[in-house]
Amino acid sequence: MTHILAIDQGTTSSRAIVFDRSLNPVAVSQKEFPQIFPASGWVEHDPETIWTSVVETCREAISKAGDARISAAGITNQRETVVVWDKVTGAAVGNAIVWQDRRTSELCARLKAEGHEPDVTARTGLLLDPYFSGTKLKWLLESDSSLHGRAAAGELLFGTIDSFLIWRLTKGAVHATDATNASRTLLYNIREGSWDAGMLDMLGIPAAMLPEVRDCSADYGVCPAEFFGQEIPIAGVAGDQQAATIGQACFEPGMLKSTYGTGCFALLNTGQDAVHSQNRLLTTIAFRFGGEVTYALEGSIFIAGAVVQWLRDGLGIIESAAETGEMAEVADPAQEVTLVPAFTGMGAPYWDPDCRGSIFGLTRNTGPAEIAKAALESVAFQTRDLLEAMKTDWSGRDSRSPGTILRVDGGMTGNDWVMQALADQLGAPVDRPRITETTALGAAWLAGWHIGLYGGPQSFSNSWSLDRRFEPELSESSRNKAYDRWRDAIRRTVSC
């Protein structure tokens, strides 16, 4: 038994990847599922559709792997998304409320106005924003007058997607989550390492419905043979961005990774120091091994790859994402078109949920190529926003400078134009690994390490392999001129 199954449950699709003893992917299956938009700013998923997609992709990946025996499974998941289900039947009480959902904006604004945010940040490392699970859970429990009482009586269980999958895969034997997912709920005290009674009281969340919090590499029960033809222990769990941090072997303080999917998420390892950001970045848990927590600063960009989807599905100026790099290459360099993709507000370091997208610098000569270029450049500019904020927060804490090299992963990293634009705007090398499926890789390593199939963090670091390094080519004056244009566009957008 020398293979590991990685379950990667994402925002728009579920994937299963089988890794061999050398941590090479040997089989993959992926299945997209519908997004549900009940109202403006609301985003939901059907938990049953997620469950079905996970089971189907796992079966297909295992089948593709031939006679491989699966030693263990690791799970990584879209974070902050909320599911509540019946403890007896396992049926969800309603749709999952997705991390992108903004329905609790008014609640968050009210709590801020009442002066709660400094205390919330001190406890959880997070901000009062609809992004996180706690206010979504409060809304869900208040959406039906019977739910809160049932939850308090222990009849209902809460979880992020990992917990829901673990509970289903173990047939109700295990209700647990890992420290990284817990740290994104707005309910977990990241310094004390426990669910926070003050936050539960503030949001009216019954403690009886919460999962047990475990290490990232740990025992999460056994998936019986009836699902996949063989018993498979679940031995590793991490939220998607932390799993990518692990998959990029960012185990040392000062190491930085950025993942480019629907959004963009940059994590800076800060070691044992839970850095309190002065720039509205998030303090979060990078991973917990053997009960010992490693912290990170995180910057979240809501729209990265999604801006390319908008070019395709919204504007209809491309048929595939691959076209955008070629369009950017032929765009008129004399035009300074700037796109701020605030379709659902702005994430770090601005945290403005109410602003909306804008385009500046349009002329009669502006066409699809210039708009595509501006869309791709917005990813580089937003990443620089995060890195500049991280450098300020990190200043004086460690001799190692964050962002000396940026390790990248996610779907957009296949676009060489974007990667070069990143290096140019950051003024630093950008490293793309040989295995870009780092989220699944991190989950697989966590599971394999727990059962002894793979070596520990140092061994895993030694196995990390570079595909290509992108070196900056723009002069400092040129990159700063472009960034000043972006900052001006931000000022005009966020203040609207």
Side-chain angles (χ1 to χ4, degrees):
M1 299 179 70
T2 57
H3 290 71
I4 299 292
L5 173 67
I7 299 172
D8 183 356
Q9 203 299 297
T11 306
T12 59
S13 67
S14 297
R15 291 185 303 164
I17 303 179
V18 176
F19 290 84
D20 65 16
R21 190 180 185 88
S22 299
L23 273 171
N24 293 310
V26 297
V28 61
S29 175
Q30 182 167 348
K31 184 178 180 64
E32 293 188 1
F33 54 85
Q35 309 295 296
I36 303 169
F37 305 103
S40 177
W42 294 27
V43 188
E44 298 180 354
H45 292 157
D46 179 356
E48 294 303 325
T49 300
I50 287 178
W51 165 247
T52 300
S53 69
V54 167
V55 172
E56 289 178 352
T57 54
C58 287
R59 286 174 176 167
E60 183 173 342
I62 292 171
S63 176
K64 286 181 177 179
D67 59 358
R69 296 289 296 171
I70 307 299
S71 303
I75 296 175
T76 183
N77 56 286
Q78 54 169 311
R79 304 173 306 172
E80 296 96 14
T81 297
V82 169
V83 186
V84 174
W85 65 94
D86 187 288
K87 187 176 182 178
V88 176
T89 68
V93 301
N95 282 338
I97 303 179
V98 180
W99 61 272
Q100 298 163 314
D101 190 281
R102 311 299 292 174
R103 74 185 65 185
T104 61
S105 292
E106 290 186 7
L107 169 61
C108 291
R110 177 173 62 79
L111 293 172
K112 284 184 186 179
E114 293 172 357
H116 291 293
E117 189 165 69
D119 184 50
V120 169
T121 300
R123 294 169 184 265
T124 69
L126 308 177
L127 302 172
L128 280 169
D129 189 87
Y131 177 23
F132 306 109
S133 309
T135 59
K136 300 180 194 297
L137 178 56
K138 177 180 175 64
W139 185 95
L140 198 153
L141 291 177
E142 292 177 351
S143 67
D144 182 325
S145 59
S146 69
L147 294 182
H148 195 280
R150 294 180 62 197
E155 297 175 7
L156 300 179
L157 301 179
F158 154 73
T160 42
I161 295 296
D162 60 306
S163 295
F164 177 66
L165 293 178
I166 291 166
W167 197 89
R168 284 282 182 96
L169 289 170
T170 61
K171 301 195 73 173
V174 178
H175 182 217
T177 188
D178 84 296
T180 70
N181 277 295
S183 74
R184 312 297 297 187
T185 61
L186 208 67
L187 305 174
Y188 189 73
N189 192 308
I190 62 171
R191 292 168 176 83
E192 295 180 359
S194 61
W195 297 114
D196 191 279
M199 291 305 305
L200 297 181
D201 182 63
M202 178 189 297
L203 297 175
I205 307 299
M209 67 187 311
L210 302 177
E212 178 187 348
V213 181
R214 301 182 181 180
D215 283 352
C216 299
S217 184
D219 177 15
Y220 284 88
V222 176
C223 176
E226 66 185 80
F227 287 119
F228 308 122
Q230 52 188 294
E231 281 194 353
I232 302 175
I234 304 170
V237 178
D240 53 8
Q241 302 312 316
Q242 284 90 342
T245 302
I246 292 165
Q248 290 280 35
C250 291
F251 295 125
E252 296 298 322
M255 296 188 74
L256 174 68
K257 77 88 199 175
S258 191
T259 298
Y260 297 91
T262 302
C264 164
F265 302 87
L267 268 76
L268 170 69
N269 184 323
T270 62
Q272 307 307 304
D273 191 358
V275 176
H276 177 74
S277 175
Q278 303 300 315
N279 295 281
R280 296 181 68 77
L281 298 177
L282 307 175
T283 308
T284 195
I285 293 177
F287 43 82
R288 194 179 88 182
F289 300 155
E292 184 173 296
V293 171
T294 293
Y295 295 97
L297 279 174
E298 177 174 330
S300 305
I301 297 168
F302 296 152
I303 301 294
V307 75
V308 177
Q309 293 175 331
W310 174 71
L311 296 178
R312 182 192 65 192
D313 303 333
L315 296 187
I317 63 175
I318 61 171
E319 292 185 0
S320 69
E323 298 173 41
T324 56
E326 297 174 1
M327 295 172 73
E329 286 282 0
V330 301
D332 180 2
Q335 294 196 49
E336 296 184 337
V337 180
T338 306
L339 168 64
V340 181
F343 304 146
T344 56
M346 291 295 286
Y350 308 106
W351 290 108
D352 186 340
D354 299 317
C355 70
R356 289 296 177 262
S358 55
I359 304 179
F360 299 93
L362 296 175
T363 72
R364 283 290 299 272
N365 291 327
T366 300
E370 287 72 33
I371 293 175
K373 179 183 177 183
L376 298 185
E377 283 184 323
S378 73
V379 176
F381 289 138
Q382 289 181 97
T383 304
R384 180 169 175 180
D385 284 341
L386 299 182
L387 185 57
E388 296 287 345
M390 287 177 172
K391 285 181 176 178
T392 301
D393 285 334
W394 185 256
S395 178
R397 293 180 177 270
D398 196 291
S399 60
R400 291 163 286 196
S401 176
T404 304
I405 297 174
L406 174 67
R407 289 185 172 180
V408 296
D409 54 80
M412 287 195 87
T413 61
N415 189 318
D416 288 356
W417 195 95
V418 175
M419 296 301 98
Q420 186 59 53
L422 269 177
D424 288 341
Q425 214 19 251
L426 301 180
V430 170
D431 282 0
R432 182 171 64 195
R434 182 178 62 84
I435 298 178
T436 58
E437 302 292 351
T438 54
T439 304
L441 178 65
W445 174 75
L446 287 170
W449 179 35
H450 183 69
I451 65 168
L453 183 64
Y454 304 139
Q458 187 57 58
S459 173
F460 182 64
S461 294
N462 293 340
S463 71
W464 187 91
S465 178
L466 178 69
D467 169 58
R468 178 176 172 183
R469 170 168 289 182
F470 295 84
E471 296 280 1
E473 296 175 352
L474 275 185
S475 67
E476 184 173 2
S477 60
S478 295
R479 75 184 185 94
N480 287 340
K481 179 183 177 182
Y483 189 57
D484 287 343
R485 170 166 51 87
W486 165 259
R487 295 288 293 165
D488 180 63
I490 285 290
R491 283 189 291 270
R492 295 169 185 265
T493 302
V494 172
S495 62
C496 289

